[in-house]
Amino acid sequence: MLILEYLPKLPYWVEALVDASVLSIIIFPIIYTQLFKPLKESIAKNAENEAKIKYERNLFKALFDNLPDAVYVKDIQFRKILANPIDLQYMNVKSEDDIIGKTDAEVYNNDVAESSYTDEVKIFKTGEAIINKENFFVDNNGKVHWMLNSKVPFRNSDNEIIGIVGISREITEKKKEEERLKLLESVILNTTDAVVITDILPDAKVKTKIIFVNNSYCKMTGYTLEEVIGKSPSILQGIKTDKEILIQVKESMDRFLPCHFEVINYKKNGEEFWTSISLSPIANSEGVYTHWIAIKRDITEKKQLEQDYIEAKENAEAANKAKSEFLANMSHEIRTPLNSVIGFSDMLHKTNLDDTQKLYNNAVFQSANSLLDIITEILDFSKIEAGKLEIDISKTNIQELAYSVSNMISFQAHEKNLEVLVNINHDIPKYIWIDSLRLKQVLINLMANAVKFTKSGEIEFKIVPINKLSDNKYQFRFSVRDTGIGILPENQNKIFEAFSQEDASTTRKYGGTGLGLAISKKLLLLMGSDLQLTSIPNDGSTFYFDITATTDSQIEPEEVTDISKIKHALIVDDNANNRLLVSEMLALKNVKTNAVASGKEALEKLEALNDYDLVLMDFNMSEMDGIETIRQIRNRLKLGADKLTIILLHSSADDEHIFEACRELQVAGRLLKPIHIQSLYDCIAKAGLPFKEADKVENAFSYVNNKQVKILVADDNEFNILLIKQIVKNILPNAEIFEAFDGKKTIELFEKYQPEIVFMDIQMPELNGYEATKIIRQKSRDKHIPIIALTAGTHEDEREKSANAGMDDFISKPFVVETLEAVIKKWIDN
Ligand code: ADP
């Protein structure tokens, strides 16, 4: 009875009619069409409307809930009456129930609520919507959200405002991106470098055009923005712009490679300027290159400075060269007269002089030698400074070098009563490859300083291998230790500087130029080493350096000295280090040793028991000297030469006093300190032989030859000729000497007299020594006469030059008698 449910309550008569089935057939269609059908249609329409409303409501809800923006509705009292899920999220609530009926003041912080309230009041007042207004708010987690807010009035059907509909979109990321871009833009706009952006067109034939320049570009070039936009970037190029560079740039650009270059550009007014340009291609998100960005910097000033620097450097080099040449010339000029001073005072020494004359002459000799040292140092220093000094490595007998260095200073050392120890580790190979000349120079300087600055005590020169780098490569440590005045810590760096001494009083007290250490340091740097120092004031100093050198693998036959008959030796020396050193040297030959520090102890030991084959007796001991001790051994203990062999250790300074005593006391040998290991063995080996009176006072000239020889001396300095003549006459009393003052005369005399030896100065008028030698060699091919170069130059290459010119030997001026003597002996005996 579905239909009946919809029927209105019918009057009784109708009911009766209905019940009358006859009537129902007639009446029902009428009732149906007149009453029932419209009613049914109206009911259906209502249902349809309702479904539509429901559908629309659902649609709205789906839309509302799923919008990516926050959407809300507020009533006229600013209370939320609707909020979508995004809005709920911003308010940090889970359900609409938590905020419906609440105002912003109850949900957000004051600032947000207030700003929102102000906007909404305005809308209510004016009826105008607020569209896309940017606001930010800080959420409960402290996160900043930038929002794009729109609010429109919500009106009823009478057009009265009954609330607000709002929609907010989060734009934080966009905002950040905008700020980043703004920052980049401001960097580009405000940087002092000019920035140019050009486009890259797909058609390579169309030239790139400027699409952007910053203010600095306009300032740098004088062009306005309008003048350059759309133009080619080449508008700045001109006649002096390096075309080669432009070609290279083009090549890079064709391959989209970034590049950097420096060229001359031109301003709008034609003025040229240097610019450095960094060019980089810019690609879009698909990796397609779309633009070039060029950063240009005006480097005119830098280029000018570079140019000034190059000029200054060239000037400085020229000045330095002039200085070096001047120094070399000056040194040559000074060395020539010095040659006479040193040579003649040396000669004078060998004549009969009284004590005062000897003293004066000594002063002349020593002063001249000091002057020579100073000149040599200055010359060396200027050579090193000018980078002209080269290291010349040769095979060097390191022990010989060490002893020759120590011998050079031993005289001064012993005069001051200083003990000199040469401590060469027995592991040191005999030969190493090194610049022996320069190493010797450094060591002599260190040793001479050690003597100079030490009043009492000892000087130890030590070489030890500290590292074996390969089979024949070692690192050696060279050190010179003294017990002298030491150096204050604050001055320990200063003294390595040129012309620097510890303090101003040093020159007055000790002399010197303050150049020695500076030169030594630089020489060592050239050898890949460095001079170092440890020093304690009033205690002493140790200067040391490490050198890496190759040793010579070729084994030289050992000089075998047989001292096997010596089994037990007594060492008597008041210097502990020397006792140790000598006993170590003897231990290498399996000699057992005892060592005592005084003559008294030695006598006690020998008195108790003489089971020694040998006594090594130091001469210079404080209480009782060596000679006195030996005297007591011989006389009181009655130990004669047949019972006990004694060797005396002494220094050259003591010579005259002890020669006699040694003869008298039958001392079997004398050894000069510092003790050379080989000479110790040799001396011991010889000591076993019958005692010989070998020590004679030396002749003034140890070599004299009565041969009749013709000698030609060529030198433009008459004193030098005189000096050579004097020396030659002493050595070769029967020599005939011819003198030439220039190169031409030398050749003339050579042809005329056919001498057997020629001494040839290098720097002479007319023809110099090299030229004269060459001519002589050409003219007398059949006969080779020794020609000896005499030069005041010290350059190593002068030796080479003279050899190349055909000379046979080389003497550097100033020379001493012994040098000339040795050369004459060598060539005459030949
Ligand atoms: P010079 O000895 O000609 O003055 P150096 O360059 O050789 O020049 O030495 C510089 C200074 O270093 C010396 O003047 C001295 O003050 C100090 N010095 C060098 N060696 C020693 C040393 N062994 N003991 C104390 N002072 C030293």
Side-chain angles (χ1 to χ4, degrees), residues 198-206 208 247-260 279-284 287-293:
T198 50
D199 52 6
I200 296 178
L201 298 167
D203 183 356
K205 280 186 201 132
V206 183
T208 56
I247 291 170
Q248 288 168 17
V249 171
K250 171 98 181 36
E251 279 169 11
S252 294
M253 287 179 78
D254 287 348
R255 291 154 59 208
F256 294 110
L257 295 174
C259 56
H260 179 95
L279 199 57
S280 314
I282 311 279
N284 65 14
V288 176
Y289 291 111
T290 55
H291 296 90
W292 286 102
I293 182 160

Side-chain angles (χ1 to χ4, degrees), residues 377 445-446 449-454 480 482 484-487 491 494-497 499-503 506-507 510-520 533 535 540-543:
E377 279 191 345
N445 179 39
L446 296 181
N449 275 348
V451 174
K452 190 156 81 170
F453 296 105
T454 304
V480 175
D482 65 49
I485 58 170
I487 299 154
N491 292 330
K494 188 176 114 185
I495 54 163
F496 291 109
E497 289 161 21
F499 305 105
S500 289
Q501 300 182 317
E502 230 216 309
D503 64 53
T506 306
T507 315
Y510 301 98
T513 55
L515 268 178
L517 289 179
I519 293 173
S520 300
L533 163 71
S535 181
S541 315
T542 304
F543 286 86

Side-chain angles (χ1 to χ4, degrees), residues 463-732:
I463 315 177
V464 275
I466 51 170
N467 246 330
K468 183 170 182 172
L469 304 171
S470 69
D471 265 359
N472 62 345
K473 205 168 202 173
Y474 289 81
Q475 193 178 26
F476 299 103
R477 172 156 297 179
F478 292 74
S479 60
V480 175
R481 178 181 62 80
D482 65 49
T483 51
I485 58 170
I487 299 154
L488 290 171
E490 60 268 32
N491 292 330
Q492 289 184 8
N493 280 330
K494 188 176 114 185
I495 54 163
F496 291 109
E497 289 161 21
F499 305 105
S500 289
Q501 300 182 317
E502 230 216 309
D503 64 53
S505 66
T506 306
T507 315
R508 244 179 294 131
K509 249 199 260 170
Y510 301 98
T513 55
L515 268 178
L517 289 179
I519 293 173
S520 300
K521 193 162 178 94
K522 288 189 183 221
L523 286 176
L524 287 170
L525 282 178
L526 286 176
M527 292 187 228
S529 178
D530 191 19
L531 184 56
Q532 305 192 58
L533 163 71
T534 55
S535 181
I536 301 172
N538 299 323
D539 228 16
S541 315
T542 304
F543 286 86
Y544 63 96
F545 54 90
D546 300 336
I547 284 190
T548 301
T550 312
T551 59
D552 199 72
S553 48
Q554 188 193 337
I555 311 244
E556 299 278 325
E558 266 285 318
E559 291 138 68
V560 197
T561 313
D562 183 16
I563 61 165
S564 56
K565 60 181 188 298
I566 305 291
K567 300 279 183 247
H568 195 189
L570 178 66
I571 301 163
V572 190
D573 197 321
D574 58 351
N575 184 288
N577 284 323
N578 212 28
R579 289 197 296 273
L580 188 70
L581 206 61
V582 174
S583 60
E584 274 178 6
M585 287 175 176
L586 290 177
L588 291 177
K589 289 276 186 188
N590 296 320
V591 179
K592 214 174 106 199
T593 52
N594 282 115
V596 291
S598 67
K600 194 164 154 257
E601 281 176 76
L603 290 170
E604 281 165 11
K605 260 218 147 56
L606 288 168
E607 197 163 18
L609 175 67
N610 173 25
D611 67 344
Y612 297 101
D613 310 309
L614 172 71
V615 174
L616 290 163
M617 177 75 67
D618 182 33
F619 167 68
N620 209 319
M621 290 185 294
S622 49
E623 268 174 43
M624 188 193 301
D625 71 24
I627 291 293
E628 184 48 36
T629 313
I630 298 172
R631 198 180 297 285
Q632 295 215 19
I633 294 173
R634 296 283 190 238
N635 298 342
R636 191 162 65 75
L637 305 186
K638 306 265 178 276
L639 296 172
D642 51 332
K643 293 205 177 84
L644 186 60
T645 305
I646 302 178
I647 288 174
L648 187 76
L649 314 177
H650 72 116
S651 61
S652 53
D654 317 318
D655 283 3
E656 282 175 29
H657 170 68
I658 61 172
F659 283 166
E660 263 313 306
C662 280
R663 263 195 293 272
E664 178 204 328
L665 297 169
Q666 297 195 314
V667 171
R670 287 188 287 107
L671 260 179
L672 277 188
K673 279 178 153 185
I675 292 159
H676 186 318
I677 190 162
Q678 191 57 43
S679 47
L680 174 70
Y681 297 159
D682 290 346
C683 186
I684 294 173
K686 268 194 234 149
L689 303 174
F691 180 75
K692 276 198 292 188
E693 282 198 24
D695 306 308
K696 277 192 223 147
V697 179
E698 269 182 40
N699 282 335
F701 287 88
S702 50
Y703 174 78
V704 178
N705 191 322
N706 290 321
K707 236 184 185 175
Q708 287 197 331
V709 265
K710 283 188 274 181
I711 293 183
L712 173 57
V713 183
D715 198 313
D716 60 342
N717 182 302
E718 57 180 311
F719 291 114
N720 276 343
I721 294 210
L722 187 64
L723 176 63
I724 295 171
K725 266 172 63 182
Q726 290 302 323
I727 299 174
V728 169
K729 268 190 193 156
N730 275 291
I731 302 168
L732 305 166

Side-chain angles (χ1 to χ4, degrees), residues 111-134:
D111 291 346
V112 177
E114 227 164 79
S115 144
S116 173
Y117 175 76
T118 314
D119 285 349
E120 288 164 12
V121 166
K122 202 170 147 206
I123 293 171
F124 290 146
K125 260 193 196 159
T126 62
E128 281 170 17
I130 291 176
I131 306 291
N132 287 348
K133 182 179 176 194
E134 285 183 9

